[in-house]
């Protein structure tokens, strides 16, 4: 929890006081925010509740063996984000929900993500935000074709002694994606950056070029096996449980 909700405030009591985490659930009308909130808090799907009511719920959770006092604000904006101050300065983390069977709800989620990106820029404080596709059981009626989700994808690799380049370069060439060799990063305008085993220090200017941030994908359960060879160490130590950590990269200041 502490790494996921990096900005959570510890309670003001003794050391063992639970972490206090405020989570705001955002998204278009009917995306299923209230259903999700009720399902998460009661562990079952309830169809009878007041769906348009905005309310804040409390729950005591245990995450990574730590007690967490979670408050969930189930918002209900009329159509687009309104009076956002009520959650922007309150929440430590945001869940932006869209409904898989509604293209409109998917498109509207970008206004929430843009709002969060703008707020993070203005306050110099970014909070975790997760985009969640709800109503998986309706996925057959999906209006978003997967190939339409990404408009533009380009690849940057580090130089390799092999003339064919690293496997990621070979894959990019085979998939007819534009490839640049570091330090050339192309000149395109991007929304999100993703880095994996890159091994180069990324400048603040480069990180800030991505309005929705830059993610690092690291194949270990950090902080275990931080460093350049996580998979090798996992195998050598015979770990029976491992995972992948996805974290947001912040400029080194
Ligand atoms: N099939 C299906 N229906 C769902 C699911 N989650 C929610 N619904 C239905 O979708 C409708 C809208 O859900 P709500 O939870 O009220 O949506 P909301 O985002 O809270 O809507 P507002 O409060 O008006 O902004 C309700 O009829 C729910 O029963 C789901 O996972 N699958
Ligand atoms: Mg609701």
């Amino acid at each position: 929890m502490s790494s996921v909700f990096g900005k959570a405030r510890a309670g003001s009591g003794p050391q063992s006081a639970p972490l206090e985490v405020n989570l705001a659930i955002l998204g278009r009308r009917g995306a299923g925010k209230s259903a999700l909130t009720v399902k998460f808090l009661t562990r079952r799907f309830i169809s009878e509740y007041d769906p348009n009511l905005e309310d804040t719920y409390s729950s005591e959770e245990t995450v990574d063996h730590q007690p967490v006092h979670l408050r969930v604000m189930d918002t209900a904006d009329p159509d687009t984000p309104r009076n956002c101050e009520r959650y922007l300065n309150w929440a430590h983390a945001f869940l932006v929900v869209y409904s898989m069977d509604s293209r409109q709800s998917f498109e509207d989620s970008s206004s929430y993500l843009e709002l969060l990106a703008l707020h993070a820029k203005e306050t110099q404080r970014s909070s975790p935000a997760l985009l969640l596709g709800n109503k998986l059981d309706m996925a057959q009626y999906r209006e978003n074709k997967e190939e339409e989700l990404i408009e533009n994808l380009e690849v940057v690799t580090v130089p390799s002694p092999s003339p064919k380049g690293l496997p990621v370069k070979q894959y990019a060439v085979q998939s007819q994606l534009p490839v640049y060799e570091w330090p050339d990063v192309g000149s395109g305008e991007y929304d999100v950056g993703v880095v994996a085993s890159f091994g180069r220090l990324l400048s603040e200017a480069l990180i800030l070029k991505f309005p929705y941030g830059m993610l690092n994908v690291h194949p270990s359960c950090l902080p275990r096996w931080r460093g350049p060879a996580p998979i090798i160490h996992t195998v050598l130590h015979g770990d029976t449980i491992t995972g992948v950590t996805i974290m947001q990269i912040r400029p080194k200041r």
Side-chain angles (χ1 to χ4, degrees), residues 1 9 24 33 58 81 89 97 123 137 140 147 154 171 176 201 212-213 216 232 237:
M1 170 67 74
R9 284 166 214 129
K33 301 180 294 296
S58 287
N89 293 318
V97 181
T123 58
D137 56 306
Q140 54 186 320
E147 59 272 22
E154 301 193 346
Y171 181 82
Q176 301 183 324
L201 188 66
Y212 292 148
N216 184 22
I232 293 170
H237 283 79

Side-chain angles (χ1 to χ4, degrees), residues 26 88 94 96 111-121 129:
L26 315 175
L88 280 180
F94 300 90
V96 180
S111 56
Y112 285 99
L113 294 172
E114 276 159 21
L115 173 79
L116 298 179
L118 188 69
H119 180 69
K121 205 170 173 185

Side-chain angles (χ1 to χ4, degrees), residues 156-159 166 182 194-203 215-219 227-230 249:
V156 178
T157 65
V158 290
L166 296 170
W182 181 263
V194 180
V195 182
S197 305
F198 200 62
R200 299 290 192 278
L201 188 66
L202 306 175
S203 70
L215 300 174
N216 184 22
V217 183
H218 185 91
I249 299 182

Side-chain angles (χ1 to χ4, degrees), residues 28-35 45 49 51-52 74-76 134-138:
R28 187 185 167 79
R29 282 207 128 170
K33 301 180 294 296
S34 301
F45 183 85
Y49 52 89
N52 299 319
D74 170 28
T75 66
N134 191 32
K135 307 195 192 177
L136 184 61
D137 56 306
M138 306 290 275

Side-chain angles (χ1 to χ4, degrees), residues 38-68:
V38 171
K39 186 174 166 185
F40 176 72
L41 294 177
T42 66
R43 313 278 188 250
R44 61 201 169 98
F45 183 85
I46 297 175
S47 54
E48 284 185 23
Y49 52 89
D50 188 348
N52 299 319
L53 190 77
E54 175 160 312
D55 214 340
T56 301
Y57 304 86
S58 287
S59 172
E60 304 298 330
E61 303 286 331
T62 303
V63 180
D64 290 347
H65 312 292
Q66 275 193 67
V68 175

Side-chain angles (χ1 to χ4, degrees), residues 125-136:
R125 190 166 52 84
S126 70
S127 307
L130 202 70
L131 177 65
L132 186 143
N134 191 32
K135 307 195 192 177
L136 184 61

